[in-house]
PDB file of all heavy atoms in Angstrom:
ATOM      1  N   VAL C  47     130.034 -10.466  24.535  1.00 98.00           N
ATOM      2  CA  VAL C  47     129.932 -11.051  23.241  1.00 98.00           C
ATOM      3  C   VAL C  47     130.724 -12.408  23.324  1.00 98.00           C
ATOM      4  O   VAL C  47     131.785 -12.631  23.939  1.00 98.00           O
ATOM      5  CB  VAL C  47     130.724 -10.162  22.199  1.00 98.00           C
ATOM      6  CG1 VAL C  47     130.738 -10.725  20.854  1.00 98.00           C
ATOM      7  CG2 VAL C  47     129.950  -8.814  22.279  1.00 98.00           C
ATOM      8  N   GLY C  48     130.113 -13.462  22.610  1.00 97.00           N
ATOM      9  CA  GLY C  48     130.812 -14.713  22.383  1.00 97.00           C
ATOM     10  C   GLY C  48     130.569 -15.819  23.275  1.00 97.00           C
ATOM     11  O   GLY C  48     131.174 -16.997  23.230  1.00 97.00           O
ATOM     12  N   VAL C  49     129.453 -15.708  24.196  1.00 97.00           N
ATOM     13  CA  VAL C  49     129.173 -16.714  25.241  1.00 97.00           C
ATOM     14  C   VAL C  49     129.067 -18.035  24.585  1.00 97.00           C
ATOM     15  O   VAL C  49     129.637 -19.088  25.079  1.00 97.00           O
ATOM     16  CB  VAL C  49     128.122 -16.299  26.180  1.00 97.00           C
ATOM     17  CG1 VAL C  49     127.884 -17.437  27.183  1.00 97.00           C
ATOM     18  CG2 VAL C  49     128.448 -14.920  26.885  1.00 97.00           C
ATOM     19  N   PHE C  50     128.199 -18.090  23.629  1.00 96.00           N
ATOM     20  CA  PHE C  50     127.941 -19.471  22.994  1.00 96.00           C
ATOM     21  C   PHE C  50     128.266 -19.565  21.547  1.00 96.00           C
ATOM     22  O   PHE C  50     127.463 -20.019  20.762  1.00 96.00           O
ATOM     23  CB  PHE C  50     126.391 -19.842  23.278  1.00 96.00           C
ATOM     24  CG  PHE C  50     125.965 -19.889  24.700  1.00 96.00           C
ATOM     25  CD1 PHE C  50     125.196 -19.061  25.132  1.00 96.00           C
ATOM     26  CD2 PHE C  50     126.560 -20.931  25.483  1.00 96.00           C
ATOM     27  CE1 PHE C  50     124.760 -19.119  26.555  1.00 96.00           C
ATOM     28  CE2 PHE C  50     126.161 -20.997  26.903  1.00 96.00           C
ATOM     29  CZ  PHE C  50     125.290 -20.089  27.270  1.00 96.00           C
ATOM     30  N   SER C  51     129.413 -19.053  21.243  1.00 98.00           N
ATOM     31  CA  SER C  51     129.757 -18.861  19.775  1.00 98.00           C
ATOM     32  C   SER C  51     130.838 -19.910  19.227  1.00 98.00           C
ATOM     33  O   SER C  51     131.483 -19.631  18.353  1.00 98.00           O
ATOM     34  CB  SER C  51     130.231 -17.510  19.567  1.00 98.00           C
ATOM     35  OG  SER C  51     129.297 -16.435  19.983  1.00 98.00           O
ATOM     36  N   TRP C  52     130.944 -21.017  20.014  1.00 98.00           N
ATOM     37  CA  TRP C  52     132.014 -21.931  19.611  1.00 98.00           C
ATOM     38  C   TRP C  52     132.020 -22.258  18.107  1.00 98.00           C
ATOM     39  O   TRP C  52     132.897 -22.231  17.381  1.00 98.00           O
ATOM     40  CB  TRP C  52     132.137 -23.146  20.491  1.00 98.00           C
ATOM     41  CG  TRP C  52     133.400 -23.853  20.525  1.00 98.00           C
ATOM     42  CD1 TRP C  52     134.346 -23.825  19.508  1.00 98.00           C
ATOM     43  CD2 TRP C  52     133.905 -24.591  21.576  1.00 98.00           C
ATOM     44  NE1 TRP C  52     135.424 -24.742  19.914  1.00 98.00           N
ATOM     45  CE2 TRP C  52     135.197 -25.126  21.122  1.00 98.00           C
ATOM     46  CE3 TRP C  52     133.505 -24.972  22.907  1.00 98.00           C
ATOM     47  CZ2 TRP C  52     135.916 -25.974  21.975  1.00 98.00           C
ATOM     48  CZ3 TRP C  52     134.218 -25.841  23.696  1.00 98.00           C
ATOM     49  CH2 TRP C  52     135.499 -26.271  23.243  1.00 98.00           C
ATOM     50  N   THR C  53     130.819 -22.720  17.692  1.00 98.00           N
ATOM     51  CA  THR C  53     130.713 -23.150  16.249  1.00 98.00           C
ATOM     52  C   THR C  53     130.850 -22.145  15.317  1.00 98.00           C
ATOM     53  O   THR C  53     131.482 -22.306  14.292  1.00 98.00           O
ATOM     54  CB  THR C  53     129.315 -23.920  16.035  1.00 98.00           C
ATOM     55  OG1 THR C  53     129.211 -25.018  17.077  1.00 98.00           O
ATOM     56  CG2 THR C  53     129.411 -24.557  14.603  1.00 98.00           C
ATOM     57  N   ALA C  54     130.482 -20.899  15.705  1.00 98.00           N
ATOM     58  CA  ALA C  54     130.520 -19.710  14.837  1.00 98.00           C
ATOM     59  C   ALA C  54     132.128 -19.366  14.689  1.00 98.00           C
ATOM     60  O   ALA C  54     132.542 -18.816  13.647  1.00 98.00           O
ATOM     61  CB  ALA C  54     129.771 -18.601  15.336  1.00 98.00           C
ATOM     62  N   LEU C  55     132.889 -19.584  15.854  1.00 98.00           N
ATOM     63  CA  LEU C  55     134.353 -19.337  15.721  1.00 98.00           C
ATOM     64  C   LEU C  55     135.235 -20.469  15.205  1.00 98.00           C
ATOM     65  O   LEU C  55     136.264 -20.238  14.637  1.00 98.00           O
ATOM     66  CB  LEU C  55     134.711 -18.939  17.149  1.00 98.00           C
ATOM     67  CG  LEU C  55     134.151 -17.755  17.677  1.00 98.00           C
ATOM     68  CD1 LEU C  55     134.395 -17.623  19.260  1.00 98.00           C
ATOM     69  CD2 LEU C  55     134.693 -16.383  16.932  1.00 98.00           C
ATOM     70  N   GLN C  56     134.684 -21.705  15.310  1.00 98.00           N
ATOM     71  CA  GLN C  56     135.508 -22.894  14.989  1.00 98.00           C
ATOM     72  C   GLN C  56     134.449 -23.875  14.413  1.00 98.00           C
ATOM     73  O   GLN C  56     134.141 -24.835  15.046  1.00 98.00           O
ATOM     74  CB  GLN C  56     136.268 -23.415  16.100  1.00 98.00           C
ATOM     75  CG  GLN C  56     137.175 -24.492  15.898  1.00 98.00           C
ATOM     76  CD  GLN C  56     137.962 -25.076  17.067  1.00 98.00           C
ATOM     77  OE1 GLN C  56     137.542 -24.774  18.190  1.00 98.00           O
ATOM     78  NE2 GLN C  56     139.034 -25.762  16.888  1.00 98.00           N
ATOM     79  N   PRO C  57     134.045 -23.764  13.063  1.00 98.00           N
ATOM     80  CA  PRO C  57     133.079 -24.697  12.564  1.00 98.00           C
ATOM     81  C   PRO C  57     133.608 -26.158  12.449  1.00 98.00           C
ATOM     82  O   PRO C  57     132.876 -27.048  12.025  1.00 98.00           O
ATOM     83  CB  PRO C  57     132.751 -24.095  11.249  1.00 98.00           C
ATOM     84  CG  PRO C  57     133.957 -23.206  10.943  1.00 98.00           C
ATOM     85  CD  PRO C  57     134.526 -22.673  12.229  1.00 98.00           C
ATOM     86  N   ALA C  58     134.975 -26.323  12.427  1.00 98.00           N
ATOM     87  CA  ALA C  58     135.632 -27.630  12.415  1.00 98.00           C
ATOM     88  C   ALA C  58     137.008 -27.542  13.164  1.00 98.00           C
ATOM     89  O   ALA C  58     137.442 -26.306  13.420  1.00 98.00           O
ATOM     90  CB  ALA C  58     135.951 -28.033  11.002  1.00 98.00           C
ATOM     91  N   GLU C  59     137.383 -28.714  13.550  1.00 98.00           N
ATOM     92  CA  GLU C  59     138.615 -28.581  14.365  1.00 98.00           C
ATOM     93  C   GLU C  59     139.816 -27.963  13.848  1.00 98.00           C
ATOM     94  O   GLU C  59     140.534 -27.182  14.532  1.00 98.00           O
ATOM     95  CB  GLU C  59     139.067 -30.073  14.871  1.00 98.00           C
ATOM     96  CG  GLU C  59     140.197 -29.998  15.899  1.00 98.00           C
ATOM     97  CD  GLU C  59     140.376 -31.418  16.442  1.00 98.00           C
ATOM     98  OE1 GLU C  59     139.828 -32.465  16.015  1.00 98.00           O
ATOM     99  OE2 GLU C  59     141.404 -31.489  17.279  1.00 98.00           O
ATOM    100  N   GLU C  60     139.929 -27.943  12.596  1.00 97.00           N
ATOM    101  CA  GLU C  60     141.102 -27.427  11.881  1.00 97.00           C
ATOM    102  C   GLU C  60     140.751 -26.082  11.304  1.00 97.00           C
ATOM    103  O   GLU C  60     141.682 -25.394  10.638  1.00 97.00           O
ATOM    104  CB  GLU C  60     141.549 -28.363  10.620  1.00 97.00           C
ATOM    105  CG  GLU C  60     141.872 -29.701  11.100  1.00 97.00           C
ATOM    106  CD  GLU C  60     140.704 -30.674  11.305  1.00 97.00           C
ATOM    107  OE1 GLU C  60     139.665 -30.199  10.902  1.00 97.00           O
ATOM    108  OE2 GLU C  60     140.824 -31.722  11.944  1.00 97.00           O
ATOM    109  N   ARG C  61     139.649 -25.544  11.449  1.00 98.00           N
ATOM    110  CA  ARG C  61     139.202 -24.236  10.822  1.00 98.00           C
ATOM    111  C   ARG C  61     138.723 -23.300  11.913  1.00 98.00           C
ATOM    112  O   ARG C  61     137.842 -23.595  12.620  1.00 98.00           O
ATOM    113  CB  ARG C  61     138.202 -24.432   9.808  1.00 98.00           C
ATOM    114  CG  ARG C  61     137.939 -23.215   8.863  1.00 98.00           C
ATOM    115  CD  ARG C  61     137.320 -23.615   7.526  1.00 98.00           C
ATOM    116  NE  ARG C  61     136.063 -24.274   7.783  1.00 98.00           N
ATOM    117  CZ  ARG C  61     134.919 -23.678   7.599  1.00 98.00           C
ATOM    118  NH1 ARG C  61     134.862 -22.392   7.453  1.00 98.00           N
ATOM    119  NH2 ARG C  61     133.781 -24.358   7.686  1.00 98.00           N
ATOM    120  N   PHE C  62     139.215 -21.898  11.783  1.00 98.00           N
ATOM    121  CA  PHE C  62     138.720 -20.922  12.616  1.00 98.00           C
ATOM    122  C   PHE C  62     138.139 -19.750  11.689  1.00 98.00           C
ATOM    123  O   PHE C  62     138.771 -19.421  10.755  1.00 98.00           O
ATOM    124  CB  PHE C  62     139.866 -20.370  13.478  1.00 98.00           C
ATOM    125  CG  PHE C  62     140.330 -21.461  14.556  1.00 98.00           C
ATOM    126  CD1 PHE C  62     141.298 -22.427  14.130  1.00 98.00           C
ATOM    127  CD2 PHE C  62     139.846 -21.434  15.848  1.00 98.00           C
ATOM    128  CE1 PHE C  62     141.889 -23.241  14.973  1.00 98.00           C
ATOM    129  CE2 PHE C  62     140.175 -22.506  16.684  1.00 98.00           C
ATOM    130  CZ  PHE C  62     141.215 -23.357  16.282  1.00 98.00           C
ATOM    131  N   THR C  63     137.124 -19.140  12.234  1.00 98.00           N
ATOM    132  CA  THR C  63     136.456 -18.079  11.477  1.00 98.00           C
ATOM    133  C   THR C  63     136.240 -16.894  12.440  1.00 98.00           C
ATOM    134  O   THR C  63     135.167 -16.744  13.060  1.00 98.00           O
ATOM    135  CB  THR C  63     135.073 -18.597  11.000  1.00 98.00           C
ATOM    136  OG1 THR C  63     134.416 -19.254  11.866  1.00 98.00           O
ATOM    137  CG2 THR C  63     135.401 -19.505   9.714  1.00 98.00           C
ATOM    138  N   PHE C  64     137.198 -16.032  12.529  1.00 98.00           N
ATOM    139  CA  PHE C  64     137.064 -14.918  13.459  1.00 98.00           C
ATOM    140  C   PHE C  64     136.665 -13.692  12.673  1.00 98.00           C
ATOM    141  O   PHE C  64     136.470 -12.652  13.301  1.00 98.00           O
ATOM    142  CB  PHE C  64     138.400 -14.624  14.109  1.00 98.00           C
ATOM    143  CG  PHE C  64     138.841 -15.762  15.091  1.00 98.00           C
ATOM    144  CD1 PHE C  64     139.904 -16.603  14.782  1.00 98.00           C
ATOM    145  CD2 PHE C  64     138.250 -15.841  16.273  1.00 98.00           C
ATOM    146  CE1 PHE C  64     140.270 -17.594  15.649  1.00 98.00           C
ATOM    147  CE2 PHE C  64     138.680 -16.763  17.096  1.00 98.00           C
ATOM    148  CZ  PHE C  64     139.733 -17.722  16.853  1.00 98.00           C
TER     149      PHE C  64
END
Side-chain angles (χ1 to χ4, degrees):
V47 179
V49 175
F50 298 115
S51 302
W52 199 334
T53 307
L55 293 168
Q56 190 182 11
E59 184 172 1
E60 301 79 12
R61 187 159 64 93
F62 294 88
T63 51
F64 292 108

